[in-house]
Amino acid sequence: MSNHLKVAIQGGPASFHDVVAQQYFAGQVIAIVPCMTFQRVCAAVKSREADFGVMAIENALAGSILNNYSLLQDYPVSIIGEAYLPIEQNLLALPGQSLADIKLVRSHPMALLQCTNFLEENPHIQALESADTAESAREIRENNLVGVGAIASRMAAQRYELEIVEERVENYKENYTRFMIISRKPLADKSQANKASVIFTLHHRAGELAKILDVFRDLFINLSLIQSIPILSQPTEFAILLDLEWEDYATFEEAISLITPLIVEMKILGIYQRGKR
């Protein structure tokens, strides 16, 4: 077991996080460390219970998961990679049931948010939030729950021997989720790196953010995401999160040296290689 890579994921076996872990670390022997919360994923990496962690950060339909950016800021972990996964949500239940038989559906809040049209069209079904998509499927099988469905992946249906009552129940068929791969240490070899996530706070003066953005524009560094992140300890304050992409790593280094005097505080959440969409 010692040569296994231990990978912490939010959720359990057959969850979307598990799918990403298996794909990202393909060719390596991995042992999944299931975690019920994203905070637990970060804690597992910090405490060396896991070598790496996988955490969702953004969904094409639901947007950024702001709390996860706060966790990446607060924990001594670093993003070393990213992965995009097309998300297909299916209604799963014990075999032999129809859609009319399902009175309750359980899933992760993010999955339920991605399937609001389906739930609206079926008002006889009550939605109930749970910790994980695949764990909802497992509980149906283990407790033999008749009349209860789970919104989850095909992998979860296969693993827990459930039937797909309705397939592709997500609102948006081009739906994908972006995941971050985290580690205790930053990426050692940055020769292939072409993306970074940076979070910083600014002085309260007009035009401060514009000065920062001008630096990136002048160096032809692309901003693929700009997001304000609430600072929990200071309810009226916000940090700025930028995802930066470049052709030449030296330009990123130059940009960071130029913006450092202009900001109050900064953390580079990670320098990594862009994931393929």
Side-chain angles (χ1 to χ4, degrees), residues 156-194:
Q158 292 160 2
R159 185 179 181 98
Y160 299 113
E161 298 176 335
L162 299 178
E163 272 183 7
I164 297 179
V165 179
E166 290 276 324
E167 60 179 16
R168 304 300 305 271
V169 296
E170 69 273 12
N171 297 359
Y172 178 49
K173 302 310 175 195
E174 297 300 311
N175 190 15
Y176 68 84
T177 295
R178 177 180 169 227
F179 295 81
M180 295 305 201
I181 316 301
I182 61 171
S183 171
R184 280 183 299 281
K185 294 181 178 175
L187 190 68
D189 178 12
K190 298 184 176 61
S191 60
Q192 301 300 311
N194 52 15

Side-chain angles (χ1 to χ4, degrees), residues 64-243:
S64 295
I65 306 173
L66 298 187
N67 189 54
N68 287 3
Y69 280 117
S70 298
L71 289 172
L72 290 171
Q73 189 176 14
D74 293 343
Y75 274 82
V77 297
S78 191
I79 302 164
I80 55 130
E82 73 173 355
Y84 290 88
L85 184 72
I87 301 294
E88 295 183 6
Q89 301 285 13
N90 306 281
L91 178 65
L92 318 182
L94 291 171
Q97 298 180 92
S98 70
L99 181 60
D101 297 324
I102 307 301
K103 302 294 184 256
L104 178 71
V105 65
R106 303 184 65 200
S107 198
H108 189 275
M110 188 65 73
L112 294 174
L113 193 59
Q114 292 163 18
C115 303
T116 50
N117 292 351
F118 171 77
L119 294 169
E120 191 71 26
E121 289 158 12
N122 292 280
H124 69 283
I125 298 177
Q126 181 191 349
L128 186 66
E129 292 184 357
S130 69
D132 181 48
T133 54
E135 286 298 290
S136 301
R138 181 184 63 79
E139 286 165 11
I140 289 171
R141 169 50 66 193
E142 284 194 359
N143 300 309
N144 206 38
L145 300 176
V146 176
V148 179
I151 288 176
S153 67
R154 288 180 182 276
M155 187 175 169
Q158 292 160 2
R159 185 179 181 98
Y160 299 113
E161 298 176 335
L162 299 178
E163 272 183 7
I164 297 179
V165 179
E166 290 276 324
E167 60 179 16
R168 304 300 305 271
V169 296
E170 69 273 12
N171 297 359
Y172 178 49
K173 302 310 175 195
E174 297 300 311
N175 190 15
Y176 68 84
T177 295
R178 177 180 169 227
F179 295 81
M180 295 305 201
I181 316 301
I182 61 171
S183 171
R184 280 183 299 281
K185 294 181 178 175
L187 190 68
D189 178 12
K190 298 184 176 61
S191 60
Q192 301 300 311
N194 52 15
K195 189 169 183 178
S197 296
V198 179
I199 195 163
F200 54 85
T201 51
L202 291 167
H203 298 283
H204 282 284
R205 295 193 290 259
E208 290 300 296
L209 180 57
K211 289 180 196 171
I212 305 290
L213 301 184
D214 284 348
V215 170
F216 295 122
R217 181 199 61 199
D218 293 345
L219 290 170
F220 301 100
I221 291 175
N222 181 45
L223 270 68
S224 55
L225 178 73
I226 179 167
Q227 178 83 54
S228 61
I229 310 287
I231 298 172
L232 302 181
S233 59
Q234 298 162 282
T236 59
E237 302 288 318
F238 286 85
I240 305 294
L241 180 282
L242 300 179
D243 278 352

